[in-house]
């Protein structure tokens, strides 16, 4: 199992930006894909962005054009750059890594966007 640790969450006004970071305890080459998910109160966890080892990133429709996932294999990091934040982006954001034999999740970081 690989440990993933998120950071960078916080409180921001609508229209602002945040950059989330996720650090892995092992090489990112372990993961076939890395991604960011979020879960708002009373809602199911949903995919925000996913970046495979090879190929293009995939984004949820609700964040396309505003969020960017950045995979840094050399430093075992993945980032989520979030711009033009909206109150509906408020949630706990989780980092996830998909290995050939399973998945690993971080503990989550809270993002709160005020109107």
């Amino acid at each position: 199992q690989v440990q993933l640790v998120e950071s960078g969450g916080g409180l921001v006004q609508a229209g602002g930006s945040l950059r989330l970071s996720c650090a892995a305890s092992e090489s990112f080459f372990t993961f076939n894909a890395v991604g960011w998910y979020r879960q708002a109160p009373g809602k199911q966890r949903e995919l925000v962005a996913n970046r495979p080892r090879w190929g293009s990133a995939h984004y949820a429709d609700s964040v396309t054009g505003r969020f960017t996932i950045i995979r840094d294999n050399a430093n075992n990091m993945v980032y989520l750059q979030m711009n033009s934040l909206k109150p509906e982006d408020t949630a706990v954001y989780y980092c996830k890594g998909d290995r050939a034999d399973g998945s690993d999740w971080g503990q989550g970081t809270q993002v709160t966007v005020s109107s």
Side-chain angles (χ1 to χ4, degrees), residues 53-72:
R53 185 184 303 171
W54 309 109
S56 301
H58 170 78
Y59 297 92
D61 290 343
S62 58
V63 306
T64 297
R66 301 188 297 122
F67 291 11
T68 303
I69 185 169
I70 304 164
R71 178 171 177 161
D72 182 355

Side-chain angles (χ1 to χ4, degrees), residues 5 48 91:
V5 179
V48 175

Side-chain angles (χ1 to χ4, degrees), residues 31-83:
F31 297 122
N32 295 325
V34 291
W36 288 93
Y37 290 71
R38 67 186 181 188
Q39 187 167 17
K43 295 187 176 181
Q44 289 188 331
R45 192 173 297 188
E46 63 176 0
L47 173 70
V48 175
N50 179 273
R51 182 66 187 266
R53 185 184 303 171
W54 309 109
S56 301
H58 170 78
Y59 297 92
D61 290 343
S62 58
V63 306
T64 297
R66 301 188 297 122
F67 291 11
T68 303
I69 185 169
I70 304 164
R71 178 171 177 161
D72 182 355
N73 288 329
N75 293 298
N76 301 330
M77 298 288 294
V78 60
Y79 304 95
L80 185 68
Q81 178 66 44
M82 305 186 295
N83 299 327

Side-chain angles (χ1 to χ4, degrees), residues 1-2 6 9-10 19 22-23 30 34 37 47 53 55 57-58 60 62 71 85 90 93-94 100 112 114:
Q1 188 173 3
V2 178
E6 302 98 333
R19 189 177 198 182
C22 175
T30 297
V34 291
Y37 290 71
L47 173 70
R53 185 184 303 171
H58 170 78
S62 58
R71 178 171 177 161
L85 283 161
T90 295
Y93 284 71
Y94 298 90
T112 303
S114 62

